Amino acid sequence: MTGGFTERTVRLPKGMRFASHGEDAMDGPVVRRTFLRLSAAMGVGAAFGRMWSPASAAGAAAGSVDLCAVTGTDAYQGTIKAVEQLGGMRRFVPPGSTVGLLINHQFRNPGAHVNPDVAQAIAALCWESGARAVLSVKDERFTYWRPEGRGAEAARRITPCSGNYTAVEIPRGQALKQVEIVKEFLAADVLINVAVAKHHEGTNYACTLKNAMGALTYGTCQFFHFGHGKGGWYGDVGFLSQCVADLNRLRKPDLAVADATTILTTNGPFGPGKLATPHAVVAGVSAVSVDAYCTRFLNLTPAQVPMITRSAGLGLGDADLGKVKSRELNI
């Protein structure tokens, strides 16, 4: 045991391999078949967890949908209501499971980060569903969580794990072949992606699909921007979009949640910029569908966002919302 972690040999999904010790993530064959997992007290599932599938999860409430958008000024209650319409958090988080939360909370400016009420509501629902541990796949850089009020205690119980990286190959990746990624992104029994829908100066739009980059090292993210060799941070948006799609092929979130309460409509992803206040929270079983729905808040269509169309083309979800069982509510 080292630093609260134990090494364990696991059976990896077909086509996926860890890098050997000391190997460059972007060079050479990847051969290692072990990973460090949190101790049993933390409850991280072996072999990347049980790969809990929302589509097959027992107990989803009758009449539940696969995507729900809730509009209202109470973001905390809106988040709870949206998940409730999907069948409740138990559809995604079975008792005793370990949950990885990937939250877009890295930026200070309004509209650039997830409303803490949304994130704290998700954390509270995980604990109420019987989660054994809730892990922060990407830890906050600034003072983010609300210290008091609804969900504050749930947030305090979250365990940080940011920086615990491993090198992994991307099976059948078209632009992206390998990544250095936080181990718990793959090892947690349940992965929940919580992002803010906002403008992005390179791709025009960012939400849950692009938020998966938050689990990567800076070096891997650099490859998304410069791996095409054409120069410029956004020299090839098509290449960047394909990298995002390839990354999401590595592991789809079990639950995707988009905060569209207050969003950047210009100068994203960092801001400051012009703001819009749709006062909406959107939750769904597919990051592709959630992102497709939220394009309306930036006056876009899914077809105008290559990372959405490319992810849909890989079979990661449906961008045609007419095919998605959905519900819209006002509270």
Side-chain angles (χ1 to χ4, degrees), residues 20-44:
S20 57
H21 180 68
E23 185 177 25
D24 190 324
M26 305 307 289
D27 295 302
V30 182
V31 297
R32 194 177 186 199
R33 294 199 174 255
T34 62
F35 77 102
L36 298 177
R37 71 179 182 92
L38 287 170
S39 60
M42 295 290 297
V44 176

Side-chain angles (χ1 to χ4, degrees), residues 103-243:
I103 304 169
N104 187 350
H105 50 22
Q106 297 297 295
F107 308 125
R108 287 182 182 272
N109 290 309
H113 60 261
V114 172
N115 184 329
D117 287 338
V118 174
Q120 290 182 197
I122 291 296
L125 289 173
C126 290
W127 292 117
E128 290 171 10
S129 294
R132 180 182 300 179
V134 178
L135 312 177
S136 173
V137 176
K138 182 75 170 182
D139 302 332
E140 70 275 12
R141 294 174 58 194
F142 312 110
T143 301
Y144 172 74
W145 301 105
R146 300 199 193 285
E148 304 294 338
R150 298 173 298 180
E153 179 58 28
R156 281 192 286 270
R157 295 174 62 191
I158 294 174
T159 300
C161 62
S162 186
N164 186 29
Y165 296 107
T166 189
V168 182
E169 288 187 342
I170 304 291
R172 304 180 303 282
Q174 295 180 24
L176 186 66
K177 306 297 184 181
Q178 298 173 343
V179 296
E180 288 182 318
I181 193 166
V182 174
K183 288 183 173 76
E184 287 75 12
F185 180 92
L186 298 169
D189 298 322
V190 180
L191 177 66
I192 300 178
N193 184 327
V194 186
V196 59
K198 59 183 175 180
H199 173 260
H200 189 285
E201 65 174 320
T203 59
N204 288 328
Y205 175 83
C207 199
T208 61
L209 288 168
K210 195 168 187 306
N211 190 45
M213 290 179 66
L216 303 175
T217 62
Y218 179 75
T220 300
C221 289
Q222 288 270 52
F223 179 80
F224 282 55
H225 292 281
F226 300 107
H228 47 73
K230 297 180 181 179
W233 196 254
Y234 302 113
D236 190 336
V237 173
F239 180 87
L240 170 59
S241 299
Q242 187 60 53
C243 284

Side-chain angles (χ1 to χ4, degrees), residues 244-259:
V244 170
D246 289 340
L247 172 60
N248 278 271
R249 173 181 254 167
L250 185 60
R251 181 175 185 179
K252 296 186 293 184
D254 299 286
L255 172 63
V257 180
D259 167 25

